[in-house]
């Protein structure tokens, strides 16, 4: 053990974790701040913070940490894992309402619940709750932080882990740190990037992308009260934190530890790609960003190893795997990561009827490191960001700007033959930067079919919805259901009536209805099919251990551009998934199935109601699961 990591406190568990992870902690801190003359002092402060957080961790959570550490495989890689994401107020009103809906979540099969926008946000417009005014309090309409802790306990008793957003790129300008910066306190002005004039912003701005080019153009905001320009990547009221200052790092770690000690088991690291700023660069996906996340991971591994970090890296497909850790740091960043590129690719394939976009990209990406898991989903609370399909280095799978422009027009219903009812998000004239908003059901054609009273279109829409559930259920990660998708909810066109919901993404953030309130009989019939299909998929997945995230997906050329094919190998068995992205019947060479699965292959598809006749035949938008013995 090096001198730098020889910090013992007479607690065998803590000292053992320090011996294991202290080197990673020290290395990351050195990479970020090693040139500072006061480095040794900051290192000691970090170790002291880590010890205090560990010492304060409740015994029942320490027991959870130990149990998870002793397991043969990480708990989040189990095939029984199923995520559910919702806004608590729109799902159930408040924390008490969520508690009452625990049986609903259990019946669905949920094992981790992601509650959005829980921590105390600024009043009024808050970017959907992602402008945090206090990390250690909750929004008044939901209940207190103690109420949240009680809910977490009830969820854990029901076998459900809680995930919260950890917004660590920025705070609200209403946060105490920002208010003290406005008041002129130099120590807190150093928590942010504040400039006396436009000299630095004008130098940096041309290198930066605009996240919200329509509603919040530019990356800097003049704050009249402080007479300074502040770096604001997102909205003017969201001030980017300055991690060049180690005081920011320790303050944010302290917030995370206190929430972890309340029982939060998964932290979604919001806007991870932007968190480190370096003048003269585009300030996205920088090497220091990864070092910072490595530091967070090492610190959490010492204090609360039963806690998982989840990367929200809305970057090009080439970058996302790196948020697990890359090269000699593989597996040392986040244990979980959203596969936003897979989501975009599946919607691309659905629009074109060709699986080639999804196959070309997914087969080219590196495998995730051992001990990690993707989080796959058809929809989430954000827009579909088509930029994930771009590649500036010229990869064959990289989509052209022309195609990306076509995609958001297709999902806005602006292309002849489109089945979708969505809306553009933040379009820039002549650029491929618009996203797509809309619920899964509306984007997949259910809304248009109901409007037209077209039974054939209705059947195809339901098939599309189930296809976009079936593929994530079969992939190597945790499938995530977004609130309302299990009900086939349609777009909420009244969202803009609320001053706090002007952002176009509220189109797909509807309030969960009481039962099927407002559903027409035809919509109820479509929902019944979605419900039955989704529950069949969930039940089948939970009884197939080989679908655990420890077994990576391997993509195959199906010999038919309409069909996405991948295998999930285990020790003695292998499952082949065939997904038809076409509205017509398709088939693959029967030899492909026999080569992968042998002669004894059998259909275990949960959605047998839409099957073709033979194993190699696929109905419109059908997803087949076929099981066989491992032949390799």
């Amino acid at each position: 053990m090096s001198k730098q990591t020889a910090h013992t406190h007479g607690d065998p568990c803590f000292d053992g974790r320090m011996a294991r992870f202290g080197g990673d902690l020290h290395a990351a801190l050195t990479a970020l701040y090693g040139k500072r003359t006061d480095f040794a002092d900051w290192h000691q402060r970090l170790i002291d913070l880590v010890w205090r957080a560990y010492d304060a961790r409740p015994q029942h959570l320490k027991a959870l940490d130990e149990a998870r550490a002793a397991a043969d495989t990480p708990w989040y890689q189990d095939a029984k894992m199923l995520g559910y994401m919702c806004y608590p107020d729109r799902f159930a009103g408040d924390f008490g309402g969520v508690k009452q809906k625990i049986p609903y979540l259990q019946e669905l099969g949920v094992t981790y619940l992601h509650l959005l926008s829980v921590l105390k946000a600024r009043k009024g417009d808050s970017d959907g709750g992602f402008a945090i005014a206090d990390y250690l309090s909750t929004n008044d309409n939901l209940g207190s932080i103690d109420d949240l802790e009680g809910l977490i306990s009830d969820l854990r008793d029901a076998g459900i882990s809680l995930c919260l957003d950890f917004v660590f790129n920025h705070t609200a300008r209403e946060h105490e740190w920002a208010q003290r910066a406005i008041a002129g306190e130099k120590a807190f002005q150093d928590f942010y990037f504040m400039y006396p004039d436009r000299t630095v912003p004008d130098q940096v701005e041309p290198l930066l992308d605009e996240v919200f080019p329509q509603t919040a153009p530019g990356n800097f905001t003049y704050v009249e009260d402080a007479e300074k320009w502040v770096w604001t990547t997102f909205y003017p009221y969201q001030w980017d934190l300055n991690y060049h200052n180690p005081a920011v790092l320790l303050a944010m770690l302290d917030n995370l530890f206190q929430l972890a000690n309340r029982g939060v088991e998964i932290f979604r690291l919001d806007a991870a790609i932007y968190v480190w700023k370096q003048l003269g660069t585009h300030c996205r996906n920088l090497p220091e960003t990864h070092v910072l996340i490595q530091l967070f991971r090492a610190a959490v591994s010492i204090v609360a190893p039963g806690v998982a970090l989840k990367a929200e890296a809305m970057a090009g497909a080439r970058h996302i795997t790196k948020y697990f850790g890359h090269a000699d740091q593989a597996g040392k960043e986040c244990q979980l990561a959203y596969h936003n590129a897979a989501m975009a690719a599946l919607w691309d394939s659905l629009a074109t009827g060709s699986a080639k976009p999804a196959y070309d990209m997914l087969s080219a990406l590196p495998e995730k490191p051992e001990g990690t898991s993707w989080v796959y989903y058809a929809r989430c609370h954000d827009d579909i960001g088509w930029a994930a399909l771009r590649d500036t280095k010229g990869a064959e799978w990289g989509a052209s700007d022309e195609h990306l422009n076509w995609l958001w027009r297709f999902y806005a219903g602006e292309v002849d033959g489109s089945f979708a009812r969505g809306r553009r998000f933040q379009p820039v004239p002549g650029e491929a930067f618009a996203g797509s908003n809309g619920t899964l059901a509306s984007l997949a054609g259910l809304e248009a079919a109901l409007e037209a009273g077209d039974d054939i279109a209705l059947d195809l829409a339901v098939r599309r919805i189930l296809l976009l559930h079936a593929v994530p259920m079969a992939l190597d990660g945790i499938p995530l259901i977004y609130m309302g998708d299990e009900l086939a909810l349609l777009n909420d066109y009244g969202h803009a009536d609320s001053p706090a919901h002007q952002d176009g993404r509220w189109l797909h953030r509807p309030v969960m209805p009481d039962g099927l309130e407002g559903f027409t009989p035809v919509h109820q019939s479509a929902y019944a099919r979605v419900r039955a299909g989704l529950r069949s998929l969930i039940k089948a997945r939970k009884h197939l251990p080989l679908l655990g995230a420890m077994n990576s997906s391997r993509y195959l050329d199906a010999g038919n551009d309409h069909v996405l094919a991948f295998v999930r190998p285990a020790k003695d068995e292998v499952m082949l998934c065939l997904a038809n992205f076409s509205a017509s019947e398709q088939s693959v060479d029967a030899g492909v199935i026999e080569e992968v699965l042998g002669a004894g292959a059998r259909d275990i598809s949960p959605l047998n109601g839409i099957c073709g006749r033979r194993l190699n035949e696929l109905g419109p938008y059908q997803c087949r699961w076929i099981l066989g013995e491992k032949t390799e």
Side-chain angles (χ1 to χ4, degrees), residues 347-407:
W347 284 103
D348 185 346
S349 289
L350 200 69
T352 60
S354 169
K356 195 172 188 313
Y359 169 77
D360 287 348
M361 185 199 70
L362 293 171
S363 62
L365 296 182
E367 286 190 10
K368 64 188 188 305
E370 184 178 350
T372 63
S373 176
W374 291 113
V375 176
Y376 290 106
Y377 51 95
R379 288 296 291 120
C380 69
H381 68 294
D382 271 330
D383 60 301
I384 301 174
W386 300 111
L389 303 181
R390 305 175 88 188
D391 189 72
T392 57
K393 295 186 179 181
E396 291 186 9
W397 52 261
S400 68
D401 284 3
E402 180 181 13
H403 181 62
L404 297 184
N405 273 312
W406 180 86
L407 281 171

Side-chain angles (χ1 to χ4, degrees), residues 12 140 186 198 242 358 522:
D140 295 338
K186 179 65 167 59
R198 284 287 310 187
N242 175 16
V522 179

Side-chain angles (χ1 to χ4, degrees), residues 150-169:
L151 172 61
I152 293 171
S153 179
D154 291 334
L155 287 167
R156 187 177 299 109
D157 289 344
I160 301 173
S161 300
L162 183 74
C163 172
L164 289 188
D165 304 296
F166 191 65
V167 185
F168 74 140
N169 176 72

Side-chain angles (χ1 to χ4, degrees), residues 342-362 386 389 397 403 406-407 410-411 419 464 467-468 471 556-565 579-584 586 621:
M343 174 189 69
L346 293 177
W347 284 103
D348 185 346
S349 289
L350 200 69
T352 60
S354 169
K356 195 172 188 313
Y359 169 77
D360 287 348
M361 185 199 70
L362 293 171
W386 300 111
L389 303 181
W397 52 261
H403 181 62
W406 180 86
L407 281 171
F410 181 94
Y411 282 108
F419 48 73
R464 292 188 199 102
L467 174 67
L468 289 181
V471 173
L556 304 177
D557 184 349
N560 181 333
D561 281 351
H562 298 293
V563 179
L564 178 67
N580 177 16
F581 281 83
S582 164
S584 60
Q586 300 293 327
Y621 300 116

